[in-house]
Each structure stands twice: as C-alpha cells, then as structure tokens.
Amino acid sequence: MRLHLHGNQGTLRAVIVLAFSLCCIIGFGHVEPAFGKNDSVTNIFRPLSQPAQEIKETSFLVLVVCAVIFIIVAGLLIYALVRFRDRAGDEAIEPPQVYGSNQIELAWTVLPILIVFVLILVTSRTIADIQNRKPPRGAVQATVVGHQWWWEIRYPELGIVTANELHVPATIGDRRQPAFLKLQSADVAHSFWVPQLAGKTDLIPNRENRMWIEPTHPGTYLGNCAEYCGTQHARMLIRVIVHTPDEFDRWVREQQQPALIATNAAEGSKAFFANSCVNCHTIRGTSAQGKFGPDLTHLMSRETLAAGAAPNTPDNLRFWVRDPQRIKLGCLMPNMQMTDTEVDQIVAYLQTLK
Ligand code: CUA
C-alpha cells in the first residue's frame, strides 16, 4: 500500500511527536516506581531474596534481547517509511519488486531460531535450578493453606499455627536459612506471590506445590493472592516478616506458648465461648478448637486483620467482630448479631491473646 502524505506532513510530524511524548510520560510513570526507592513498592525489579534475584536476572536477559530486536525492527520500519515515502512529483507506478534472496531468508530463519534456543536454555536452567533446590539442614518448613480469603500458616515441626503473616529468618552471612513452603488449598485455586522474594506459585485443591524463599534483609514484605479466587480475591494479602535469626527464635518461643488465661476479661471470655466463635476458631490451651477460621491463639501479635484488609487496631477489631461483612463482603464469618456490650467484651478478651 502506498502512503499519500505530502501536504499532510505537518500533521504526520505532530502525530509522531505526540505519540512519542505520550510514550515518554507513560514510560517514566512506570520507571520511577520500578527503579526508584527500595521501600516504596513491592517490586519484581528490587528482589531481596533468592529465587527472586535469579528470576530477575533471567527476565532482564529476555527483556534486553527483545528490546534489541524491537529497536532494530522498528528502526528499519520507521527508516523505510520516512525515506521512501510518497513525494510530490513521484510517478504513480509500482516500484520494482524484489523476490527470493537466499542469504536474507536464511539469516532471518536461522538467527531467530538461535535466539529462541538460547532463551529456552537459560530459562530452563533457571527453572530447574529453583525447582530442584533441596532444603538444607535447619531450613524452616512451613505449610501455607489458601482459603477464601485468607492464608493459614502452619509450622508442623515447631508446633505453630498462625494466619496471613508468614515469619521467617533472614539468611545473614554464612548462616543460610531458607524457608521451604508447602502450598495447599482448602477450596479453590489461589496463588502465593511476594514479588520481592520469589515468583508466583499456585495453591491448587488436592495437590501440594512447593516453593522456597531465602530473604537476606530483615523487614516486612507484602504480597497478594495472584489467582482470582472469588469476590474478596483483592483482600487476600500476605505479609512475610523476615527476622534476624535471634528475633525469629524469640518469635517461635512466643508463638509456641498456649493462650494466656485471661483474668481481666472474664465476661468477654464467657461471651466468646458461649457464641459460635469456637466452632470456627482455635485458641490453643482452651476448648476453642474450630478449624474453619484463622487460629486466634496469638491474634494480637499480628499486624493486620482479615488477611490485610485492615490494620489490627482495637477499633478495627471491634468493627470486624460486630459485622465482618462490612469489611469483607462475602467472607465466611457472619454477623453474629451481638449487642454493643457483647462486642466490647469479646474484643477485650481477644486483646488478651498476645
Ligand atoms: Cu486467593 Cu485470589
């Protein structure tokens, strides 16, 4: 097809400049958060753990190879468009057509095959490397079970059950302490994704997947469920709290304790055990042994409620106990129709679960 642009070249230039500026604006909007401050966003370009680091290196290689190809192809295309455009005074005949150059056809067949082959080899080496990693002695082992819409986290060897906040030690210096996770689902497919620590791994019903992380910097890392799993998929957040080895040991000792017998919240405790709270929640050391909802033994040690839907403050806790559906519509915990007094008492009791 021939382009008839003479007379409209001003418009063409304006369109190109506009498109270029738009690309720049959109591009820079993404570059700043991606390469900017370390702590600003969760970010695949700022890995602070294996295997995320290894994945980033492979992704960069793929990105660079694709970018070079794109620049060459787009550059030639733009060059041809501009250099051979229809000019005033050109004769209206078809230019000479060229067919069949063995060299060129060979080049554009063999080169892409080689490039794809290199990318396949590098990618499969990374995948194999990550999947075949064996837990060393002393590795922390945890089981993460996806529920609609929260994460159950069990450490079978340590006798700890918690929810939504995965605690692991950092690998510092030579003391390597990766955490190996078994991923299961209680209902539908979910996906565990903490961008700075590792790639996504799905949690699939009737199947056990595995993954591992080896963070090197203590801190809190945010992640999300990355597989649509129902209405509240967006409020299925995960926090990974990476401790120094000593801090982690202390956290383990605290979590291993059964719940303290509340002496200052007797009415609340009575209200809790009289309601159907106990059918769904476990509080270790008491008769509450429900398994459908999060373990509440050390509820107050968590930063958030309802899988990251709200910070764990007394006000939010009251709001949640009164009517969970207002924070997380569709979640399995119903409005228990309790009076204000009952809600206050139960919240007072829950606050003793440190
Ligand atoms: Cu769980 Cu999306």
Side-chain angles (χ1 to χ4, degrees), residues 146-151 187-191 203 224-230 232-236:
H147 293 256
Q148 280 175 318
W149 293 278
W150 60 283
W151 308 90
D187 35 50
V188 298
H190 304 271
S191 184
L203 298 85
N224 273 70
C225 178
E227 173 86 34
Y228 182 72
C229 53
Q232 293 295 346
H233 158 70
R235 292 206 185 93
M236 188 165 167

Side-chain angles (χ1 to χ4, degrees), residues 156-344:
E157 290 166 5
L158 302 174
I160 295 173
V161 181
T162 180
N164 304 321
E165 296 177 9
L166 175 70
H167 291 250
V168 294
T171 281
I172 292 175
D174 289 341
R175 194 171 163 199
R176 299 194 56 192
Q177 274 199 302
F180 279 71
L181 310 179
K182 290 179 182 166
L183 305 178
Q184 303 168 351
S185 169
D187 35 50
V188 298
H190 304 271
S191 184
F192 184 96
W193 191 33
V194 183
Q196 287 186 293
L197 302 182
K200 295 171 188 173
T201 311
D202 285 359
L203 298 85
I204 296 168
N206 302 317
R207 190 193 149 88
E208 185 171 273
N209 280 344
R210 284 156 191 276
M211 68 179 289
W212 58 275
I213 51 176
E214 192 174 0
T216 46
H217 293 65
T220 300
Y221 297 82
L222 303 182
N224 273 70
C225 178
E227 173 86 34
Y228 182 72
C229 53
T231 335
Q232 293 295 346
H233 158 70
R235 292 206 185 93
M236 188 165 167
L237 280 69
I238 182 139
R239 300 170 108 72
V240 176
I241 294 141
V242 178
H243 299 277
T244 60
D246 293 345
E247 256 179 57
F248 179 72
D249 292 341
R250 205 180 61 213
W251 178 84
V252 168
R253 281 196 303 277
E254 283 167 11
Q255 295 289 316
Q256 284 172 332
Q257 304 300 317
L260 286 175
I261 303 301
T263 49
N264 57 347
E267 294 115 331
S269 157
K270 222 166 87 193
F272 184 91
F273 288 94
N275 272 290
S276 43
C277 313
V278 293
N279 296 337
C280 292
H281 295 285
T282 292
I283 298 178
R284 262 180 296 135
T286 74
S287 61
Q289 295 293 327
K291 297 281 180 245
F292 295 110
D295 185 299
L296 300 179
T297 311
H298 297 287
L299 175 66
M300 284 303 141
S301 69
R302 295 184 209 145
E303 294 169 9
T304 60
L305 296 172
N312 188 1
T313 62
D315 281 345
N316 287 339
L317 190 57
R318 193 168 294 116
F319 207 62
W320 174 259
V321 171
R322 160 150 292 270
D323 186 5
Q325 301 297 321
R326 292 214 19 219
I327 295 185
K328 217 166 170 177
L329 183 68
C331 76
L332 287 184
M333 181 162 155
N335 179 341
M336 306 295 290
Q337 314 291 346
M338 288 182 288
T339 63
D340 281 349
T341 325
E342 271 180 312
V343 170
D344 285 344

